[in-house]
Amino acid sequence: MPKYSYFFFIVSILFTSIVYSQKKSLQAIRIDSKIIIDGKFDESAWQVAPVAKNFVEIFPDNGKPIPENKDTEVKIVYTDEAIYVAAILHDDEPSKILSELTLRDDFATADHFGVFFNGYNDGQQEFRFFVSAAGVQQDCIYTENTDEDFTWDAIWESKVRITDKGWVVEMKIPLAALRFPEAEKQIWGLNFYREPRQSRSQNTWSLISNEINNESIQAGILEGIENIKTPTRLFLIPYASTYLTGNATQKTTGEVRGGLDIKYGLSDAFTLDAILVPDFGQVRFDNVVLNLTAFEQQFAENRPFFTEGTDLFNKGNLFYSRRIGEVPFYEVADNETVLDSPSAIRLINAAKVSGRTKNGLGVGVLNAVTENTSVTIRNEDTGENRTMQIAPVSNYNITVLDQRFRKNSSIAFVNTNVLRNGSFRDANVSGLVWDLNTKSNSFNISGDFKYSYVNEEPNLEDKQGISSFFNFGKTKGKYRFSTGGVYVSQDYDINDLGINFQTHYHGLYLNQNYRILNPTKLFNSFSVNFNNYLEFDNRTGMLQQFNIRSGVDLTTKKNDYFGFGIRARPVAVADFYEPRSINEEKFVMYPGRIGGLIYFSSNFNRKFAIDLNPFVTKFFDQGWLNYGFTINPRYRFSDKFSLVYNFYYDRINNDVGWIAFDENDNTIFARRKRITIENTIQGKFSVNETMNFNLNLRHYWSYAVNNDILTLQDDGSLLPNNDFTTNRNRNLNLWNLDFSYVWWFTPGSQVTVLYRNNSQLFSRDFSREFSSNFSDAINSQNLNHIFSISVRYFIDYNSVKNSRLSKTFTKPKEKVRF
């Protein structure tokens, strides 16, 4: 190669490096008058505002420039109250723009535009606002640790129009919905997002490289915002609800509830959220299952207060919000019946303060108080009633300090504390959590150290325990890996405000992944994963887990998804939890196993789409076999109406598990057959972007029949038992139906009308016919009925204040400042 060729080669490399290392920037301009959000852009400010364009594709072809006929142009102006965004989304095939109507925060099958703001430009947290081509809003908070949290909802305005050249978006985002420092000149992180749904591609203004995990640090810059002040962020949401409840054995009763939610900005960075006399009567039902394991079933949180903006409180995985208001476990004698068992412990009030300083220190404090609760118990032999306290007045608290630095790393301190009145147990847990990344985001070191202290009831010894986790990984490029270990001591216990299942173990793991970063002739995406995990009991050194997993995930050029997986446990392992012994002293030996699964998901752009997931696992034991499948067809009748059906079938032959203790305190197992059938239907009819009818239906039926009774031996083996004859078969038959109407009549305010019926039947003597169980589940004699209406009204202090001022002052003519 000639010398000048080397010269030009080096210059081109340097030029490319400089171009890609420079952040894109956009200049915002100030205006003195408001903009009407109508999607027309006829205000003079839009004619002179600088333009952000030249978007790039981030999926599937990461880094590919967008052609002019598909490009996006965005402008930003601002006032002392709000940020305004105008976007022109060019499309030379406007008839192919998808615009399915749906509930808020549901992307569904529609084109989307989004804007991402980071007021501190720290590469750590973004406030993201999306709107679909149908006008449906989505908003979330993004962090590297929690990804996108759509439980957060802001109050903002938007308008879209589909034109003969594509579609347009106009947004008004109040400054009260954002977080930024007190500074004369603001420099924000900024990015724009576009999803042309027809091609299933994703575009951004500032490239988000798929070689790097953290998206926020790859944002561009928003400049030009000056002399703004954090507005008074005071929002009041009073609500009122009425409930009618009845069933075949109780006459219909009515109840009226009311309360208030308060959101108040304590400063530019910190917000107080409080609920007084909360009402969670309309939250989604839990997907309860027949749980035959040694551990409790973990439920998703559906109460808005405990889901919205809780990313700080999830640091270290010490907070399980369902503990607040949870009915504790209690026992009564065989000849006693509980007359008024509560479904939940009433929450008196709850408040949380959270935010982050300009130096990157995040502070979060959440506190909740539940009331004293008792139940009435009847002695069936004597007919006498007695009262038993099951939960005292209790205070739950979590405090988090999270210091971010270098735009991609953090160290956090977390403390949870539960104080119960009287002689009930108290608990305190503290943890140090770190997440450290190299400057280039190529490598990561993360981990934690946690300490728990439980002050037991007076006659029990206090407990102290520790848990620690360490991870090292390569997080950039086509090949990535992570390796590390975990240690948990015997008395580590976070279950008063957290959830953990196992103790006294240590484990080691290695995860490896290879992926393509750009499409090939056959695939839009392709990755191969290999995972290996070993776990040992601390006290005996016995092997508890030896899991090997490998899988392939790919997306075809037609955007159909395929997944294949193999999982194996090559040797027998000891299970110290299934025997349910005191301090997990006993164990059962479970055989090795091998299994696999296939997953297929067709492109949801089609009116008819389907998911299919067959699976099978063979245990190295006599006839122990698990197999089943999930099939999930969906049909979009129109942009307003769609139905999704899900059928799940799971069968286990010769499953081995604990069933009871006998009169001699022997641990009794059984070889059993278990079948589970679940049917769900989700339906949606959207009148427009603010009004929806929704159907959510579930029938769950699962049973376990014990065939061979076994007795656990000290060496973990099982021997036949012909003496135990107690019926320990189980049949759980559940029905849930929610039909609701939701109307967002003004931003932040809504009316919800809900009809709900449900049944929950458990038996040990039962029919194994599906039709018989289904009939029982929907039998009117077994159904509970609830009809409720709830009204929530959003009051913005700034809107009230400005509406009063507007009556006093004449509106000035529009003036543009450069």
Side-chain angles (χ1 to χ4, degrees):
M1 182 182 289
K3 291 183 179 180
Y4 63 83
S5 297
Y6 284 107
F7 173 77
F8 283 111
F9 175 75
I10 293 172
V11 169
S12 65
I13 292 296
L14 290 174
F15 177 77
T16 302
S17 301
I18 291 172
V19 168
Y20 279 93
S21 64
Q22 290 179 336
K23 285 182 174 288
K24 287 185 174 181
S25 64
L26 177 66
Q27 193 81 10
I29 62 172
R30 176 190 283 273
I31 61 174
D32 284 340
S33 61
K34 295 180 180 179
I35 286 180
I36 298 174
I37 305 302
D38 55 11
K40 296 180 179 179
F41 309 150
D42 50 9
E43 292 86 358
S44 60
W46 293 132
Q47 313 308 315
V48 297
V51 182
K53 55 183 179 179
N54 299 324
F55 278 49
V56 291
E57 190 171 298
I58 61 172
F59 179 84
D61 201 350
N62 193 256
K64 177 184 176 182
I66 302 300
E68 188 174 341
N69 62 343
K70 299 287 187 183
D71 200 10
T72 305
E73 300 179 26
V74 191
K75 301 177 181 181
I76 290 182
V77 300
Y78 70 98
T79 66
D80 287 331
E81 288 81 33
I83 302 290
Y84 295 86
V85 181
I88 301 175
L89 298 92
H90 298 284
D91 195 323
D92 57 353
E93 298 178 293
S95 62
K96 294 184 178 180
I97 294 173
L98 296 174
S99 55
E100 182 184 7
L101 285 163
T102 186
L103 283 170
R104 181 187 173 119
D105 287 335
D106 185 351
F107 280 76
T109 306
D111 285 37
H112 282 86
F113 170 78
V115 56
F116 307 164
F117 292 114
N118 182 343
Y120 289 90
N121 192 29
D122 60 1
Q124 299 278 347
Q125 184 183 67
E126 292 178 338
F127 292 83
R128 296 184 172 184
F129 304 85
F130 304 86
V131 63
S132 76
V136 179
Q137 294 182 348
Q138 302 86 24
D139 45 23
C140 70
I141 294 177
Y142 168 85
T143 62
E144 181 186 358
N145 292 328
T146 60
D147 199 60
E148 292 179 320
D149 176 12
F150 283 95
T151 61
W152 176 79
D153 286 322
I155 308 303
W156 50 288
E157 297 179 47
S158 61
K159 184 68 177 179
V160 304
R161 287 191 308 114
I162 296 179
T163 70
D164 58 354
K165 295 182 180 179
W167 62 295
V168 297
V169 178
E170 195 166 24
M171 295 177 170
K172 176 188 175 182
I173 301 172
L175 293 177
L178 303 171
R179 303 292 181 269
F180 49 87
E182 290 185 358
E184 181 179 349
K185 292 187 177 182
Q186 302 279 334
I187 298 179
W188 293 3
L190 173 71
N191 213 342
F192 302 111
Y193 172 88
R194 179 180 178 182
E195 182 179 354
R197 181 71 185 194
Q198 182 64 29
S199 62
R200 298 297 295 265
S201 61
Q202 300 173 39
N203 311 329
T204 55
W205 171 59
S206 181
L207 173 65
I208 298 177
S209 171
N210 57 9
E211 290 195 28
I212 302 174
N213 279 337
N214 193 325
E215 297 180 6
S216 184
I217 64 170
Q218 303 182 68
I221 299 296
L222 178 63
E223 300 176 306
I225 298 180
E226 300 179 359
N227 300 314
I228 61 171
K229 295 183 179 180
T230 303
T232 302
R233 291 186 285 117
L234 175 58
F235 311 119
L236 304 176
I237 310 175
Y239 59 85
S241 305
T242 181
Y243 293 85
L244 294 175
T245 305
N247 56 41
T249 60
Q250 293 180 332
K251 68 177 184 178
T252 301
T253 59
E255 182 181 6
V256 177
R257 305 175 188 174
L260 178 68
D261 290 359
I262 302 172
K263 298 180 184 293
Y264 177 63
L266 301 174
S267 67
D268 62 302
F270 291 92
T271 302
L272 166 68
D273 291 302
I275 50 175
L276 306 177
V277 195
D279 175 21
F280 300 125
Q282 291 191 333
V283 298
R284 189 187 186 281
F285 58 79
D286 290 323
N287 288 336
V288 177
V289 301
L290 178 59
N291 183 12
L292 301 182
T293 73
F295 309 114
E296 64 180 300
Q297 182 181 352
Q298 185 172 358
F299 295 106
E301 179 59 86
N302 297 316
R303 297 171 294 179
F305 177 83
F306 294 108
T307 60
E308 184 177 307
T310 56
D311 58 301
L312 264 178
F313 302 108
N314 293 323
K315 287 277 185 178
N317 296 317
L318 291 176
F319 181 47
Y320 177 45
S321 58
R322 291 294 296 261
R323 295 292 185 215
I324 301 173
E326 175 185 60
V327 177
F329 175 77
Y330 61 94
E331 292 181 304
V332 297
D334 293 339
N335 64 339
E336 292 183 320
T337 302
V338 179
L339 300 181
D340 53 357
S341 179
S343 60
I345 303 299
R346 181 172 170 269
L347 183 64
I348 299 175
N349 59 61
K352 59 187 176 186
V353 175
S354 61
R356 192 172 294 276
T357 70
K358 64 181 180 180
N359 295 320
L361 177 62
V363 179
V365 179
L366 185 150
N367 199 85
V369 180
T370 58
E371 69 176 5
N372 177 59
T373 304
S374 299
V375 295
T376 302
I377 301 171
R378 172 174 295 171
N379 187 306
E380 299 296 344
D381 296 335
T382 65
E384 295 180 349
N385 293 341
R386 68 182 178 93
T387 300
M388 180 173 71
Q389 183 185 33
I390 61 172
V393 172
S394 303
N395 188 88
Y396 299 85
N397 181 275
I398 176 170
T399 302
V400 182
L401 301 174
D402 177 40
Q403 180 63 59
R404 294 174 176 169
F405 54 94
R406 212 168 57 194
K407 292 191 175 183
N408 65 356
S409 300
S410 66
I411 297 178
F413 171 78
V414 185
N415 176 264
T416 67
N417 183 273
V418 179
L419 296 175
R420 297 180 174 92
N421 189 38
S423 60
F424 289 79
R425 68 182 247 166
D426 301 325
N428 189 286
V429 180
S430 296
L432 187 66
V433 184
W434 57 90
D435 181 17
L436 311 175
N437 295 276
T438 59
K439 187 175 182 180
S440 63
N441 286 282
S442 297
F443 296 93
N444 168 269
I445 295 176
S446 56
D448 59 44
F449 181 84
K450 305 169 189 174
Y451 167 77
S452 68
Y453 174 80
V454 176
N455 183 7
E456 287 281 12
E457 299 175 19
N459 58 332
L460 297 176
E461 184 179 350
D462 295 348
K463 296 194 302 182
Q464 302 177 65
I466 62 170
S467 169
S468 186
F469 160 76
F470 179 82
N471 174 81
F472 171 73
K474 180 179 182 292
T475 55
K476 185 177 181 180
K478 293 183 177 180
Y479 171 72
R480 305 181 191 189
F481 72 86
S482 63
T483 185
V486 60
Y487 175 86
V488 180
S489 70
Q490 171 79 35
D491 291 327
Y492 178 69
D493 187 354
I494 64 171
N495 283 310
D496 290 82
L497 194 48
I499 186 168
N500 75 292
F501 298 128
Q502 296 183 209
T503 58
H504 57 79
Y505 73 92
H506 59 279
L508 301 169
Y509 65 87
L510 172 64
N511 301 321
Q512 300 178 80
N513 170 272
Y514 177 82
R515 68 191 70 187
I516 62 172
L517 301 179
N518 295 94
T520 66
K521 293 181 179 180
L522 297 177
F523 308 119
N524 279 338
S525 68
F526 181 89
S527 66
V528 179
N529 306 285
F530 180 79
N531 312 101
N532 196 352
Y533 179 68
L534 291 168
E535 184 178 290
F536 302 88
D537 177 60
N538 291 343
R539 305 160 303 178
T540 64
M542 297 182 69
L543 184 66
Q544 288 189 168
Q545 293 289 344
F546 185 0
N547 296 328
I548 300 173
R549 298 181 181 179
S550 183
V552 175
D553 300 282
L554 62 92
T555 306
T556 69
K557 302 299 285 186
K558 293 184 178 181
N559 291 303
D560 294 317
Y561 169 80
F562 289 87
F564 313 91
I566 297 175
R567 52 197 178 191
R569 185 171 68 201
V571 297
V573 297
D575 188 328
F576 287 86
Y577 306 94
E578 184 63 15
R580 275 83 155 172
S581 60
I582 298 175
N583 296 322
E584 291 87 39
E585 295 173 349
K586 296 183 178 181
F587 65 92
V588 60
M589 295 300 300
Y590 276 144
R593 64 190 179 194
I594 187 169
L597 60 87
I598 299 173
Y599 189 86
F600 168 75
S601 179
S602 64
N603 188 343
F604 283 6
N605 281 359
R606 303 172 190 134
K607 284 185 175 291
F608 176 78
I610 191 169
D611 294 345
L612 181 63
N613 175 211
F615 57 87
V616 63
T617 299
K618 177 68 175 72
F619 291 79
F620 306 149
D621 192 27
Q622 50 177 318
W624 192 347
L625 179 67
N626 177 205
Y627 61 91
F629 65 92
T630 300
I631 185 169
N632 183 203
R634 60 185 64 217
Y635 192 79
R636 191 172 69 255
F637 295 87
S638 68
D639 284 340
K640 293 186 175 184
F641 178 45
S642 65
L643 284 175
V644 180
Y645 171 66
N646 184 82
F647 177 79
Y648 170 71
Y649 177 82
D650 185 13
R651 176 168 181 149
I652 310 177
N653 294 333
N654 292 313
D655 174 47
V656 176
W658 175 91
I659 61 168
F661 299 105
D662 67 11
E663 63 276 8
N664 297 317
D665 204 28
N666 291 313
T667 305
I668 306 302
F669 275 62
R671 194 176 297 277
R672 59 201 176 193
K673 179 177 77 171
R674 180 173 181 184
I675 291 180
T676 300
I677 296 176
E678 182 181 39
N679 290 273
T680 65
I681 296 176
Q682 292 178 302
K684 175 267 303 180
F685 180 79
S686 298
V687 180
N688 52 45
E689 65 269 23
T690 62
M691 195 178 297
N692 297 272
F693 292 90
N694 304 283
L695 172 69
N696 195 354
L697 180 154
R698 177 183 186 242
H699 176 243
Y700 174 90
W701 175 47
S702 182
Y703 71 83
V705 175
N706 303 315
N707 295 320
D708 300 324
I709 306 302
L710 309 166
T711 303
L712 179 65
Q713 306 301 298
D714 291 339
D715 63 356
S717 63
L718 297 164
L719 294 180
N721 183 324
N722 298 319
D723 299 324
F724 187 87
T725 57
T726 304
N727 181 2
R728 298 295 294 177
N729 297 335
R730 301 183 185 188
N731 184 77
L732 183 62
N733 189 14
L734 305 175
W735 169 265
N736 295 94
L737 182 147
D738 282 5
F739 182 71
S740 65
Y741 164 77
V742 180
W743 176 32
W744 293 84
F745 58 92
T746 63
S749 303
Q750 71 180 92
V751 174
T752 304
V753 180
L754 171 67
Y755 169 69
R756 166 176 292 170
N757 65 44
N758 63 77
S759 64
Q760 181 169 325
L761 306 172
F762 178 83
S763 57
R764 297 200 183 275
D765 294 302
F766 52 89
S767 167
R768 302 186 199 179
E769 295 293 329
F770 173 82
S771 59
S772 174
N773 282 272
F774 181 75
S775 297
D776 288 343
I778 62 174
N779 189 307
S780 60
Q781 297 300 307
N782 298 323
L783 288 174
N784 302 300
H785 303 270
I786 300 175
F787 178 78
S788 62
I789 301 175
S790 177
V791 180
R792 299 172 62 86
Y793 190 77
F794 178 83
I795 302 172
D796 182 356
Y797 167 81
N798 293 300
S799 298
V800 174
K801 180 184 69 174
N802 293 337
S803 65
R804 290 179 177 176
L805 291 175
S806 66
K807 297 178 181 179
T808 307
F809 297 101
T810 303
K811 182 179 179 181
K813 295 182 179 180
E814 181 180 21
K815 180 179 179 181
V816 179
R817 296 179 180 175
F818 298 94

